[in-house]
Amino acid sequence: TIYLVITEIIKMAYRFIKVGTFSHVFPMPFFFLCIPALIMYFINNDKIKNIARVFLCSGSLMGGSLYIFIPNGSIDKYPLYHVNSIHGLSFHFIMVVIGFTLLFKKMYVPKLKDFKYYFMFMGTFSVIALICNYYSGGNALFFGNDSGIPFLKEVIEKSHLLHVIIVFLGESVLLFFIFYAIYSLIMNIKIKYLIRKEELQKS
């Protein structure tokens, strides 16, 4: 948490010196939500802590994994050894490590009913992102423009509202259920393997 917060502040300060516009200094991409989630995790309140756990193990873990396996953002613009690329990779790697740590240590066990906490978290920051975009013309949580995705480019040309709805549903609904489906599949395979192993030992 300390590393993520400090490096993000340094990046924002550097952007302010170089550019000075709010939309560049505080772009609020999806991975940024890992920071408020981690801060929430340290608050001594079970409900707030649980909301943070749900996001860190679902949206944050999925977002970090997608960045690592399908590189985009800084890696597309800078060489791998550039400070922005190193920051992007290390940030997302930490997101993945945190998510897996909470899952493997059973500090959080995913449940379908936890979707309401994920949606609550994402809904709150989606409203903040829309307000930021309205006043800055930025692309917080990818609501502002197509982010270089051909499908979204076609959508936003027809309707910006439809673009916002699609991105919101993708980030705030679809991502959680994809995570839960993958988790359930892995757990089912694990259970079947353990049952099979026990049967073989008995025989």
Side-chain angles (χ1 to χ4, degrees), residues 12-203:
M12 287 180 181
Y14 175 77
R15 283 183 172 177
F16 181 76
I17 294 169
K18 289 281 289 184
V19 184
T21 57
F22 181 80
S23 60
H24 283 84
V25 174
F26 190 71
M28 196 176 168
F30 185 83
F31 74 84
F32 178 82
L33 299 186
C34 179
I35 291 177
L38 283 168
I39 294 171
M40 288 169 63
Y41 182 77
F42 291 109
I43 295 174
N44 190 26
N45 180 288
D46 290 339
K47 189 170 183 179
I48 294 175
K49 192 183 289 286
N50 192 50
I51 292 172
R53 272 195 294 253
V54 172
F55 177 78
L56 290 170
C57 289
S58 55
S60 182
L61 174 58
M62 291 291 292
S65 300
L66 286 170
Y67 184 94
I68 292 170
F69 291 107
I70 311 173
N72 57 70
S74 298
I75 299 179
D76 294 338
K77 300 174 184 177
Y78 305 99
L80 192 60
Y81 55 81
H82 193 278
V83 65
N84 284 335
S85 297
I86 294 171
H87 171 260
L89 282 170
S90 62
F91 198 111
H92 288 82
F93 180 75
I94 290 171
M95 289 166 65
V96 172
V97 170
I98 289 169
F100 277 130
T101 300
L102 292 172
L103 289 171
F104 283 127
K105 287 185 173 291
K106 298 190 183 299
M107 298 167 75
Y108 170 67
V109 178
K111 305 177 191 69
L112 198 57
K113 66 179 182 179
D114 288 338
F115 169 68
K116 63 178 180 288
Y117 297 119
Y118 178 80
F119 189 81
M120 190 187 304
F121 180 90
M122 286 303 305
T124 300
F125 282 97
S126 293
V127 171
I128 295 171
L130 289 170
I131 293 171
C132 288
N133 289 344
Y134 180 79
Y135 287 104
S136 70
N139 189 32
L141 290 188
F142 308 113
F143 290 144
N145 58 56
D146 57 70
S147 305
I149 301 173
F151 166 69
L152 291 179
K153 185 177 181 180
E154 293 180 13
V155 172
I156 204 169
E157 286 175 355
K158 295 177 181 178
S159 171
H160 189 269
L161 176 61
L162 180 61
H163 165 260
V164 170
I165 292 171
I166 290 173
V167 173
F168 174 75
L169 291 175
E171 293 177 337
S172 304
V173 179
L174 186 62
L175 201 59
F176 177 86
F177 287 107
I178 290 175
F179 157 75
Y180 188 78
I182 294 172
Y183 173 81
S184 299
L185 178 63
I186 292 172
M187 291 307 295
N188 285 333
I189 293 172
K190 182 181 177 181
I191 290 168
K192 288 179 181 178
Y193 168 76
L194 291 174
I195 292 172
R196 180 61 177 165
K197 185 179 179 181
E198 188 177 340
E199 288 173 350
L200 288 172
Q201 286 176 344
K202 287 181 180 179
S203 62

